[in-house]
Amino acid sequence: MEKTNVIAHFMGFPGKLKDKVMEIIKKTMKIGKDDPRKIWHAAKVGLALTLVSLFYYFRPLYDGFGQSAIWAVLTVVVVFEFTAGATLSKCLNRGFATLLAGALGVGAKYFADLFGKGEPIVLGFLVFTLGAVGTFTRFFPHMKRKYDYGILIFVLTFSLVTVSGYRVDEILELAHQRLTTILVGAATCMIISLVVCPVWAGEDLHKLVCGNLDKLASFLEGFGSEYFSFSEMDEESEKASIKDKGFLQAYKTVLNSKAIEESLANFAWWEPGHGSFRLRHPWKQYLKIGVLARECACHFQALTSYFNSNPQAPTEFHKRIEEACTRMSLESSKALKELASSIKTITQPSSSAAETHLQNSRIAIDDFKAILATTKTSLLSNKLDLLEIFPAITVASILIDVINCVDKISAAVEELSVKAHFKKVKNKESSPSPEKQPQQQLLHRGIVKPVVEDIEDGDSVVIEICGATMAAVAEVNSPGGKKGEAQKECV
């Protein structure tokens, strides 16, 4: 029986191997299709390794550097990163750290020679001191963020030069060969990274922040209608709706983008000016926008919890606040889209467009507060169950917090546009003056409690506009000072 299983295993091995190879090929094609820059990066690393290998392939170069030529190959493997900023960061850190540590190592060697037989003790003390100080320096946040790799190479190079120099007489020649080959390898990486299809960390950070704002806008765009139709679904429809609506889950990537944003901002700091990004581009401002975007996404996480609750029949209060909450969600979504478009096109945000949407969302907040004020009376007179309306009130209050976050994001984007000198775009179509706007757009479409009052020597006029009732009192002189009857007009 066991023999049969072994034979069957070996017989099926070619088929399993073929399936595995096909799976690897599909994954490789998917990675290359998703980001073709990764294919170019692999080719650039291969090109850099080929160039520095000439130190071994050509005899004149090998005779000049000897076995130290291997340091050029090691440098390419270690410092060549995907983005140009990361490559420049590692190359410059490694170059300056190697130069400084090599000089100190040679100086430590000649200084220890003055003590004769006490040379090993002096060298050991120097290695301990600089190694401990260099390692402790890595705990400083600023040094950790920008110069961690350089400090690590400094400690490594100083220790290697100092320890190996104790048994080597020609320490100057050894240090010169290693330093030269390391600098050649670093220079090769920097030139290829900047010239051959460069991948800019700053550009990736720019697109990441813009994409995060788009994800937040997509969530808000569909939240209002989805939430108020959600309570009418059964449990199976509920699960299917959550699965189909990808915008309800896309915001989660914003919550996990902090490390990527900080890394890209750090690497972008090393990059030279390129494209629309100047040499001293305000990369820190992108981090500020990212913090506000994650704060907004945290509110979204609270909102999505209401999709996981058991569906309930919509109450009268739900129906009353549906329009206000939907407008809050939709208008703040439009404001975020305007801000994302401003960052994407590197133009100053249109104050009229973004501010208009934010103003509309604030009007919706006022409408909600008006509804809430009338609800207090219903709670006392009709003994309305507070537990029935509490979830809806919570959702509306979270939406108000979201609008406040969007307002902060708008201010941060405006600050970025000023610091980064974004292009100014003139509005082709100026907004119409209040005199030219239609009467329906000038009137507040909120819910106003109808009021009809009798006024002495005058008539009371009640006007009904677009389904909302609005009381307007006008004094009309009647003959003989008699009281007229109320008139009702519908516009």
Side-chain angles (χ1 to χ4, degrees), residues 115-284:
F115 293 88
K117 293 183 179 180
E119 179 183 358
I121 299 176
V122 176
L123 291 177
F125 175 77
L126 293 175
V127 170
F128 170 80
T129 303
L130 289 181
V133 172
T135 302
F136 185 79
T137 305
R138 297 176 65 191
F139 291 107
F140 289 90
H142 179 72
M143 303 298 291
K144 179 75 174 178
R145 185 171 59 254
K146 292 185 178 180
Y147 308 108
D148 182 70
Y149 182 71
I151 297 172
L152 179 65
I153 294 300
F154 171 82
V155 174
L156 174 64
T157 304
F158 179 80
S159 301
L160 289 176
V161 173
T162 304
V163 174
S164 62
Y166 181 71
R167 298 295 182 183
V168 178
D169 295 331
E170 299 177 352
I171 186 173
L172 279 176
E173 182 180 356
L174 176 63
H176 175 264
Q177 291 177 348
R178 290 187 179 180
L179 177 61
T180 303
T181 52
I182 288 174
L183 293 180
V184 168
T188 302
C189 293
M190 287 191 294
I191 293 173
I192 293 177
S193 180
L194 293 174
V195 174
V196 182
C197 297
V199 178
W200 304 108
E203 186 177 346
D204 285 353
L205 175 62
H206 185 86
K207 293 180 179 178
L208 176 62
V209 173
C210 178
N212 287 343
L213 294 185
D214 276 329
K215 291 176 182 178
L216 298 181
S218 298
F219 180 92
L220 287 172
E221 185 177 12
F223 173 78
S225 58
E226 286 297 319
Y227 171 72
F228 286 99
S229 62
F230 189 76
S231 56
E232 300 177 0
M233 299 181 182
D234 55 16
E235 188 173 355
E236 294 182 358
S237 301
E238 167 191 347
K239 295 179 180 179
S241 177
I242 295 177
K243 185 177 181 180
D244 294 339
K245 303 299 181 181
F247 67 87
L248 294 176
Q249 305 296 329
Y251 78 94
K252 292 184 178 180
T253 59
V254 181
L255 294 172
N256 302 323
S257 64
K258 179 181 179 180
I260 300 176
E261 290 177 1
E262 291 180 348
S263 177
L264 290 175
N266 179 37
F267 295 145
W269 183 82
W270 294 90
E271 294 177 346
H274 56 279
S276 301
F277 307 104
R278 302 188 178 188
L279 179 61
R280 307 304 300 174
H281 197 74
W283 302 115
K284 289 185 178 180

Side-chain angles (χ1 to χ4, degrees), residues 46-61:
L47 176 61
L49 288 173
T50 302
L51 292 178
V52 298
S53 298
L54 298 177
F55 284 95
Y56 267 83
Y57 297 154
F58 286 91
R59 192 69 187 183
L61 294 177

Side-chain angles (χ1 to χ4, degrees), residues 465-479:
I465 302 173
C466 300
T469 305
M470 186 174 184
V473 179
E475 293 186 1
V476 181
N477 293 328
S478 58

